[in-house]
Amino acid sequence: MKSRLLQLWLVARWPLGVLLFLYVGLVLYRIPAVGEKQKTATAVAYIHAQKITLADAVGEHLPPMPDVEVNNRTVAGIDVNQNGIRDDVEIAIFKAYPNSPQIRAAELQSAMVQQMFLTQVFNTETWKAAAQEDSRSDACIGLTTKDFKTYMSRTNEVKDLVFNTEIRKKQEKYSYSFTTSYGSLQDSPCDIDTSEL
Amino acid sequence: MRYRYVGALISTLFIFALPFVVQAACSANGYSIIFINGIFHTEQEAQSDKNTLAYILPKQINGEPLTVELGYNATHLEGVGDLAQSAFQLLNFSITDYDLRSILRQMYTEVKTRKLLLVGHSQGTLYANSLYSYLTLHGEPREALGVYNVATPASYTAGGGLYLTSKNDVLVTLVAQLAQKLHVSVPLSPNIDIAILPGNTTEFFPGHSFNGAYVAGAKDRIIADISGELRTLIPAFSLDTGDCFAPPDISTGDKVQKVLFAVADPTAAVIRTGVVATYQSVVFVVSTSAGMAQAGYAAADSVFTSVASLLSGPAVNPTAPENAEKNFAVVKKLYGSSVDTNSYRDLNKTQGGAALMALEPESAQTPASSTPEAISSSTSSPVMPVQTSATTTSATTTPFIATSTPVFGGSALPSTTDLASVASSTQDATTSPPAPPTPPTPISSIADTFDSFNLLGWQTFGSNVRNFEFDDGSDGECFHGGCVVGFLSTTSTDLLIPRMYVELPPALDAGAFTVYAKARSGFNSPDTQISLCAGVALGCTDAERINFLNHAAVDNVWHQYYFAWRQGASFVQSCVLEDDSNAADCAWVDTGFTAGTQFDGVALWSTTGYRNDLGANLWFDELQAH
């Protein structure tokens, strides 16, 4: 019995060796793709994890207005308080709605999402994640008004603030080149309960 | 032992070779809408249209959740591919099913409900019809499926669904005219009259866009139509298991087309950019070449004139009368705004340009008489002589020079070095060394119109504070003439608190003042406060102040405040009135200060910091003794 198994092994070892070799080759070939997949999974998780906080909405850590030239030098711009919302956009929203924390919260949420279109989207999966969050934030803005024109004006207002330079518009276009079909999230539209404000 | 390893290896290989299958659970509860966009839509517009549809529709139908999803109809070959595809679709043919199959495959994992409504817009309506056909042909029950088309060039709506086409939809009208000429199926007749809205007139096809025309003009109709269709859908299976529909396989044709579009679409974009750029260049050259000749002559003339004046004329003389206005601006900028045009002219006449440039800060030198609106109403105030460069103020001997705190003039006082460098930059001042300063003279009254810079407001108290700035009134914010303002520039973003106090030597047992204050709310609000200081030398601390205002109005309106103090039997008593300066109206109250305490300063301030760059601000004007 033992000798028969040995004979079988002597015959099968070469084909198995070839298979193993091919498998290792395939693994090596797939390493970049797997790396990309992991990178994508990390970015998608990051996009969905970004939420504004109550402190953001009430302006607890409101940043100073950044230097325009420095801020516009890069796609990402300046975000001193590191809340995911570009400082110039954050200030502009507070300036536009000093007395309405609900509208501020909704627009800040949208601003954070638009910023992710600039900084986090690099393939279809990441675009989809950002688009899902965009749908949520637009729906959150929708909760601040029943008037269609006002809704459109508020959603566009944020996009105009975020995509305000040529390099940012180009990056937005690049990001949207990954547009695909997608389904909406079932989560609550707003990151924070605006009734608390 | 060796065989065990071989077995493990084979098992591992086998496990890794297994495909991972994701099962999409399809629920009988809830409704899904797939919105399919049209051609010549940017990706952003497709996303925006889908979000708008979600915004206008109810969140629940028959008590079940409604979700809106995007079935993205990609644009190929910069729209040319879609135009050709649309033309064939209108003839009930199709060049390719690539997009249709892509949408189905992409939506397969996204659709989670059995009740499904396909909402198409423009060319998306042709896909909506095709998707309906595919789904019903692949076993999906018709009762659970519906189609609603907006701005449709199609001659029917699949499944007998509703549609909405405006009489003023320019694109659909064009397609209808074309179809009639070609004797092919014409689009469904318009069934609504939506006026082309102002924002929609500039579009390539006015009256056609989903958001700008249809939702803006017929939102309620769309809501009613879609809600009505959704309510009629019935799920054929009540179990929440299995897939919502069967996706098409990825064929070799799909793979080939994917590669082709991946190459052709960006190439088409580059070609279009090149064509547009070339076209624009040609238009530009043609339209500007005639004007360029004229402009060339004018430019040449200008250059020749400039060069000629440079070669023949004298160097620019800063003291020349024609430069007076420019020089005044510089001086005003450097030394504050109390240097008015009259005093400037007087100085220039008597001292010459060099003397002007060597002027020390106006606070220490401008005679009250030369600026009648300048400071105190008191006639006993000694005035400082106008100083030339020989008596330039030192930066080290008086507090107001030692600090570079902005004063009423609105700019930081230049240091000695600055002044020296300014002076040395002019021809006449280079030999004048800085002279020791003359200390500011005490002021016997604090009454101040704030119409110009003066010594009264240089002092601050507390920490994290800044001085008020001088507002010359040109912005229309002051009550009368000039005034003091927390932040003159709207770009200020620091959270320093504007505070100032003015000394009242000698300290007094009793007195009364009026002052005007205006507070404006922004993201936050200034907290206006008027106080009397019992010890300005000690910093007018909390323990040394009578604070008159608790909750001053923040309504962007000037209010006059009357505040007074007197010695009571045991305590100092105070009174404050708003928009009323009649002392007879005072309701005197005891303060915490024991009788006999004297007060030697008035503080005008905000108790909290505020965001001037977000609209908040605070002004004071017309401080008067009574």
Side-chain angles (χ1 to χ4, degrees):
Chain A
M1 179 66 180
K2 199 174 176 182
S3 63
R4 283 188 67 182
L5 278 173
L6 186 63
Q7 277 182 338
L8 183 65
W9 166 242
L10 288 173
V11 173
R13 64 180 176 175
W14 287 110
L16 282 173
V18 170
L19 278 175
L20 184 64
F21 179 78
L22 289 174
Y23 180 76
V24 170
L26 185 67
V27 166
L28 290 174
Y29 171 75
R30 291 286 298 163
I31 281 175
V34 171
E36 179 75 8
K37 208 170 182 179
Q38 283 175 344
K39 187 181 158 194
T40 299
T42 307
V44 166
Y46 177 83
I47 289 167
H48 287 310
Q50 296 308 295
K51 310 282 177 202
I52 66 156
T53 63
L54 207 57
D56 294 326
V58 297
E60 216 166 86
H61 310 295
L62 204 56
M65 182 62 95
D67 179 272
V68 176
E69 198 192 327
V70 176
N71 184 46
N72 289 344
R73 211 175 282 159
T74 58
V75 167
I78 306 290
D79 180 15
V80 171
N81 57 3
Q82 296 186 322
N83 61 354
I85 307 158
R86 218 171 61 224
D87 290 350
D88 60 319
V89 178
E90 192 171 353
I91 298 275
I93 291 170
F94 272 86
K95 213 168 186 172
Y97 303 101
N99 302 315
S100 176
Q102 283 87 1
I103 300 172
R104 272 204 317 263
E107 290 209 359
L108 288 171
Q109 183 180 332
S110 176
M112 179 186 276
V113 174
Q114 306 315 319
Q115 183 73 3
M116 287 195 286
F117 276 110
L118 295 180
T119 58
Q120 302 297 326
V121 173
F122 55 88
N123 59 18
T124 300
E125 286 82 1
T126 47
W127 180 87
K128 186 172 143 184
Q132 286 172 326
E133 294 300 333
D134 178 57
S135 296
R136 278 186 66 236
S137 68
D138 273 8
C140 185
I141 288 176
L143 294 178
T144 66
T145 178
K146 288 182 175 172
D147 179 59
F148 171 67
K149 278 185 189 166
T150 308
Y151 162 79
M152 288 304 292
S153 136
R154 285 183 188 156
T155 53
N156 290 333
E157 178 176 47
V158 179
K159 290 171 178 92
D160 290 345
L161 284 170
V162 176
F163 308 125
N164 63 337
T165 63
E166 275 312 304
I167 53 167
R168 288 180 184 135
K169 282 174 187 162
K170 271 188 182 174
Q171 185 64 24
E172 181 204 10
K173 201 171 162 59
Y174 167 76
S175 171
Y176 272 88
S177 70
F178 299 110
T179 301
T180 186
S181 305
Y182 73 95
S184 300
L185 300 172
Q186 296 296 318
D187 306 1
S188 164
C190 298
D191 286 348
I192 54 173
D193 182 1
T194 51
S195 63
E196 289 177 25
L197 297 169
Chain B
M1 194 61 153
R2 219 166 40 166
Y3 304 112
R4 200 182 297 165
Y5 287 124
V6 174
L9 179 64
I10 291 169
S11 304
T12 309
L13 283 169
F14 180 73
I15 288 167
F16 276 93
L18 278 176
F20 290 94
V21 178
V22 178
Q23 182 75 30
C26 194
S27 175
N29 186 52
Y31 297 84
S32 295
I33 285 176
I34 298 180
F35 174 79
I36 306 141
N37 60 291
I39 59 168
F40 293 123
H41 264 59
T42 63
E43 294 86 350
Q44 291 92 325
E45 283 168 338
Q47 167 78 351
S48 171
D49 288 354
K50 176 254 168 196
N51 286 352
T52 300
L53 189 59
Y55 164 69
I56 64 168
L57 291 174
K59 309 303 167 235
Q60 290 192 327
I61 299 286
N62 291 335
E64 297 175 25
L66 168 68
T67 56
V68 181
E69 294 158 8
L70 176 66
Y72 181 58
N73 166 27
T75 296
H76 296 296
L77 307 175
E78 289 298 292
V80 176
D82 300 78
L83 266 183
Q85 169 74 354
S86 303
F88 276 84
Q89 281 175 318
L90 289 170
L91 300 170
N92 294 323
F93 294 109
S94 179
I95 299 173
T96 170
D97 286 337
Y98 173 76
D99 281 336
L100 179 73
R101 295 163 68 84
S102 294
I103 293 170
L104 282 164
R105 273 195 301 274
Q106 289 161 0
M107 294 314 300
Y108 165 63
T109 53
E110 305 293 342
V111 176
K112 302 283 195 313
T113 67
R114 299 210 178 280
K115 289 170 284 192
L116 179 63
L117 182 71
L118 304 162
V119 176
H121 171 245
S122 192
Q123 191 210 15
T125 64
L126 304 173
Y127 280 113
N129 287 347
S130 302
L131 284 166
Y132 181 88
S133 301
Y134 172 91
L135 293 170
T136 49
L137 281 172
H138 288 78
E140 291 309 308
R142 291 172 191 274
E143 303 78 43
L145 273 179
V147 176
Y148 181 70
N149 283 336
V150 178
T152 179
S155 57
Y156 72 102
T157 304
L162 299 172
Y163 74 98
L164 193 67
T165 296
S166 170
K167 283 178 188 164
N168 298 313
D169 187 324
V170 173
L171 183 60
V172 177
T173 306
L174 276 172
V175 172
Q177 289 168 352
L178 198 65
Q180 277 171 344
K181 280 183 183 173
L182 296 172
H183 302 289
V184 295
S185 306
V186 293
L188 290 162
S189 304
N191 57 358
I192 192 168
D193 186 354
I194 303 172
I196 296 174
L197 300 170
N200 205 229
T201 51
T202 53
E203 293 207 348
F204 198 63
F205 295 115
H208 185 69
S209 89
F210 185 77
N211 273 347
Y214 283 90
V215 177
K219 177 169 67 86
D220 294 339
R221 170 81 173 268
I222 293 171
I223 295 169
D225 284 355
I226 291 180
S227 301
E229 281 208 48
L230 286 169
R231 286 194 186 95
T232 63
L233 302 180
I234 303 162
F237 311 107
S238 56
L239 295 174
D240 290 349
T241 54
D243 299 344
C244 286
F245 60 87
D249 295 329
I250 303 174
S251 66
T252 310
D254 289 336
K255 288 176 183 170
V256 170
Q257 286 181 75
K258 189 178 179 182
V259 173
L260 282 176
F261 284 133
V263 175
D265 286 343
T267 309
V270 171
I271 291 170
R272 192 194 70 160
T273 308
V275 168
V276 170
T278 308
Y279 170 77
Q280 284 173 342
S281 302
V282 169
V283 170
F284 175 78
V285 168
V286 170
S287 63
T288 56
S289 50
M292 276 174 69
Q294 266 186 316
Y297 283 122
D301 182 53
S302 168
V303 169
F304 275 113
T305 308
S306 304
V307 171
S309 69
L310 206 73
L311 291 173
S312 60
V316 176
N317 177 8
T319 61
E322 62 269 26
N323 291 313
E325 197 181 326
K326 211 176 288 178
N327 286 343
F328 171 65
V330 172
V331 171
K332 193 178 171 75
K333 200 108 182 161
L334 278 170
Y335 299 115
S337 41
S338 74
V339 179
D340 59 17
T341 46
N342 291 330
S343 55
Y344 173 82
R345 225 172 278 128
D346 291 340
L347 289 165
N348 206 11
K349 206 184 295 173
T350 54
Q351 305 294 332
L356 252 181
M357 295 307 287
L359 270 173
E360 68 174 281
E362 57 188 329
S363 53
Q365 64 194 322
T366 309
S369 56
S370 69
T371 53
E373 76 284 13
I375 38 174
S376 168
S377 57
S378 165
T379 51
S380 61
S381 298
V383 292
M384 302 296 293
V386 174
Q387 294 172 355
T388 64
S389 56
T391 56
T392 303
T393 307
S394 163
T396 53
T397 51
T398 62
F400 90 93
I401 291 293
T403 61
S404 62
T405 311
V407 289
F408 291 175
S411 57
L413 292 170
S415 67
T416 310
T417 318
D418 297 333
L419 291 170
S421 66
V422 169
S424 64
S425 69
T426 61
Q427 291 172 349
D428 299 332
T430 47
T431 54
S432 304
T438 306
T441 307
I443 294 160
S444 61
S445 167
I446 61 166
D448 197 330
T449 62
F450 299 121
D451 284 344
S452 66
F453 169 82
N454 59 54
L455 277 179
L456 296 170
W458 66 269
Q459 298 155 113
T460 60
F461 58 100
S463 54
N464 295 322
V465 299
R466 70 198 307 279
N467 211 324
F468 275 77
E469 294 188 70
F470 174 70
D471 184 340
D472 64 8
S474 60
D475 55 4
E477 295 285 9
C478 296
F479 180 76
H480 182 265
C483 59
V484 289
V485 57
F487 295 86
L488 188 59
S489 162
T490 53
T491 56
S492 303
T493 55
D494 59 60
L495 279 171
L496 297 178
I497 306 169
R499 290 180 173 186
M500 55 175 274
Y501 72 85
V502 284
E503 287 193 55
L504 175 63
L508 297 175
D509 288 331
F513 294 90
T514 53
V515 69
Y516 283 86
K518 179 173 75 170
R520 180 180 297 162
S521 177
F523 162 58
N524 50 15
S525 304
D527 195 355
T528 313
Q529 187 56 274
I530 297 167
S531 305
L532 268 179
C533 305
V536 290
L538 300 172
C540 198
T541 61
D542 288 347
E544 296 154 345
R545 281 197 308 263
I546 297 174
N547 294 328
F548 285 93
L549 302 180
N550 285 327
H551 298 290
V554 187
D555 53 7
N556 199 28
V557 172
W558 282 102
H559 292 279
Q560 188 187 40
Y561 295 96
Y562 173 89
F563 55 105
W565 79 105
R566 70 182 185 189
Q567 301 296 324
S570 307
F571 296 97
V572 173
Q573 295 183 319
S574 72
C575 156
V576 63
L577 300 170
E578 187 180 69
D579 297 323
D580 176 5
S581 57
N582 185 0
D585 294 336
C586 263
W588 293 94
V589 292
D590 285 344
T591 67
F593 290 92
T594 51
T597 308
Q598 291 186 314
F599 293 88
D600 59 358
V602 169
L604 306 172
W605 54 302
S606 171
T607 57
T608 56
Y610 57 83
R611 289 296 295 260
N612 159 255
D613 61 322
L614 297 179
N617 219 340
L618 175 62
W619 293 260
F620 286 106
D621 204 353
E622 308 296 324
L623 175 64
Q624 299 293 343
H626 281 256

